[in-house]
Amino acid sequence: MANDSPVRRLTVRDIARAKGGEPIVSLTAYTAPVARIADEACDFVLVGDSLGMVLYGMESTVGVTVDMMIAHGRAVVRATRRACIVVDMPFGSYEQSPAQAFGTAARIVAETGCAAVKLEGGQEMAATIDFLTARGVPVLGHVGLMPQSVNAAGFQVQGKTEESARRIRADARAVEAAGAFGIVIENTVELLSRTLTQELTVPTIGIGASPACDGQILVTEDIVGLAGAFTPRFVKRYAELGDGLAGAVRDYAADVRARRFPGPEHIANPAVPQAKSKA
């Protein structure tokens, strides 16, 4: 979806129209500095509830709040010009009823300026997705492994059994029929992800799924070595910024302790040398 024309923010329609074309590029961003960098290369940027684990050190995404998503979503929208911005709806903010989901989604969109929201779930969330899209809230679906359900389902690869594959296929079809403009497929066996991409009319965005998906998404901190020692199997490291940052911090600490920093060039008002005595 490269474009040499003047900068224009991509929309959910642009993402939807990319089905079957050049692969859609996406990464997560939770802060303005990372969002500015991602904006240069990504078609859409996801303010994911994975921020709970990446930024806040939580064990899972379950403890993330709507206020957290809005604060980080607002920062990402402000920092970007080109990418379509999607914000996750956190656990407990939409499952109770379509009305609850609309209240949450409307607040997120209004207070961040994002283009769409993402929610997890398949057949059980179809009525909610339909409710939101009918009221003007674009929705990105999410099937396969659903991190918000980790307490019940764990982090296992999805779709390995006939029953699991049948459920994921039914989930994806229900989300599509409900009006989602695209569907994230997470940690799901390759053949099923490939087949779903061929069957669905909306773009599929893979994360640990298939290279045949219409697009790919990863957590930015994972691909640059800033998310800790553990790296999911489906992540490719493109840089080791964690090692570089650790080295920089050690060098800074050593300079401070040795009084090498700050030097004269770092001081606002360096001392004026005293005039030499003529005696």
Side-chain angles (χ1 to χ4, degrees), residues 37-130:
I37 295 169
D39 192 44
E40 296 180 9
C42 292
D43 301 308
F44 82 86
V45 170
L46 175 67
V47 186
D49 59 357
S50 49
L51 63 83
M53 302 170 74
V54 176
L55 296 186
Y56 290 89
M58 296 179 177
E59 292 293 326
S60 72
T61 63
V62 172
V64 175
T65 67
V66 175
D67 285 342
M68 290 164 65
M69 296 309 305
I70 288 173
H72 290 277
R74 187 182 294 130
V76 169
V77 170
R78 283 198 200 109
T80 54
R81 299 173 58 210
R82 176 184 177 275
C84 180
I85 309 301
V86 181
V87 176
D88 258 334
M89 295 177 68
F91 177 76
S93 71
Y94 62 91
E95 297 91 338
Q96 183 176 350
S97 67
Q100 181 206 27
F102 179 75
T104 301
R107 185 180 167 209
I108 289 174
V109 172
E111 295 187 31
T112 67
C114 70
V117 297
K118 181 173 79 65
L119 59 80
E120 297 180 9
Q123 299 165 81
E124 76 282 5
M125 284 291 114
T128 294
I129 294 171
D130 179 73

Side-chain angles (χ1 to χ4, degrees), residues 21-269:
E22 184 179 51
I24 300 163
V25 179
S26 181
L27 285 169
T28 61
Y30 322 120
T31 64
V34 173
R36 289 190 192 98
I37 295 169
D39 192 44
E40 296 180 9
C42 292
D43 301 308
F44 82 86
V45 170
L46 175 67
V47 186
D49 59 357
S50 49
L51 63 83
M53 302 170 74
V54 176
L55 296 186
Y56 290 89
M58 296 179 177
E59 292 293 326
S60 72
T61 63
V62 172
V64 175
T65 67
V66 175
D67 285 342
M68 290 164 65
M69 296 309 305
I70 288 173
H72 290 277
R74 187 182 294 130
V76 169
V77 170
R78 283 198 200 109
T80 54
R81 299 173 58 210
R82 176 184 177 275
C84 180
I85 309 301
V86 181
V87 176
D88 258 334
M89 295 177 68
F91 177 76
S93 71
Y94 62 91
E95 297 91 338
Q96 183 176 350
S97 67
Q100 181 206 27
F102 179 75
T104 301
R107 185 180 167 209
I108 289 174
V109 172
E111 295 187 31
T112 67
C114 70
V117 297
K118 181 173 79 65
L119 59 80
E120 297 180 9
Q123 299 165 81
E124 76 282 5
M125 284 291 114
T128 294
I129 294 171
D130 179 73
F131 192 87
L132 294 179
T133 57
R135 286 158 179 79
V137 179
V139 175
L140 179 64
H142 187 144
V143 302
L145 175 67
M146 292 178 276
Q148 291 178 6
S149 302
V150 63
N151 289 337
F155 284 106
Q156 292 86 2
V157 175
Q158 304 296 301
K160 293 194 292 186
T161 67
E162 288 187 15
E163 179 183 354
S164 175
R166 219 172 12 248
R167 174 182 54 78
I168 293 171
R169 178 174 278 107
D171 283 344
R173 288 174 173 169
V175 169
E176 176 187 44
F181 70 89
I183 302 175
V184 172
I185 303 175
E186 181 168 355
N187 208 24
T188 298
V189 294
E190 199 278 335
L191 180 59
L192 176 58
S193 302
R194 180 181 295 269
T195 302
L196 285 173
T197 299
Q198 295 168 348
E199 294 175 350
L200 297 171
T201 62
V202 298
T204 58
I205 310 297
I207 175 168
S210 170
C213 287
D214 296 297
Q216 301 294 330
I217 186 168
L218 286 174
V219 171
T220 301
E221 284 76 4
D222 280 341
I223 71 170
V224 297
L226 286 175
F230 173 72
T231 302
R233 175 191 55 79
F234 52 78
V235 171
K236 178 179 178 179
R237 286 282 181 92
Y238 287 85
E240 292 295 343
L241 302 188
D243 292 343
L245 179 59
V249 169
R250 287 193 296 268
D251 290 346
Y252 164 74
D255 279 356
V256 169
R257 292 185 176 116
R259 296 192 183 278
R260 292 189 295 266
F261 178 85
E265 69 274 26
H266 306 119
I267 299 172
N269 295 297

